[in-house]
Amino acid sequence: MPSTTGMTGVPKTILTVDDSPFIRKLLRVTLSRQGFDVAEAEDGVAALEWLDAHDQPDVMITDINMPRMDGFGLVEAIRAQGRHDAMPILVLSTESSDDKQGRGKAAGIDGWLVKPFNPTQLASAIERVSP
């Protein structure tokens, strides 16, 4: 089982970004059961506001298709700011085309999962990208 705590023994924090309340709840329940602390944002704008007000999470998981600011815009804004440029970012989306994944990789995404997600695969992806 992956480690859900950092070197200090504090649970890792995951920021989930998705416009679907159902998906955010599903991620919160799944990740909490795995021992993670979970913060939530409903789109890219809310995620940037959260990042401005809090310490950097250990990993961010974002959807692509969202109102106000989509996942690509969010990742590009984060990577351009420099403040969170080393933060691992995973995408969890219904999108799976090579074009979209290539665009994501160019923007700075560290991994891509397709909805619906498998909790074990999600935990493995987090472990793979997290410090």
Side-chain angles (χ1 to χ4, degrees), residues 44-101:
V45 172
L48 289 176
E49 291 169 353
W50 190 94
L51 288 168
D52 283 343
H54 297 86
D55 290 334
Q56 177 174 298
D58 295 288
V59 177
M60 183 178 77
I61 301 171
T62 185
D63 189 14
I64 291 297
N65 299 315
M66 298 178 288
R68 297 199 305 163
M69 179 184 285
D70 69 9
F72 292 125
L74 172 60
V75 173
E76 290 163 355
I78 289 169
R79 297 305 191 215
Q81 287 178 347
R83 181 172 166 228
H84 301 291
D85 59 344
M87 177 179 58
I89 300 173
L90 295 172
V91 164
L92 178 62
S93 177
T94 57
E95 301 284 348
S96 62
S97 72
D98 290 343
D99 288 347
K100 298 268 185 178
Q101 290 188 35

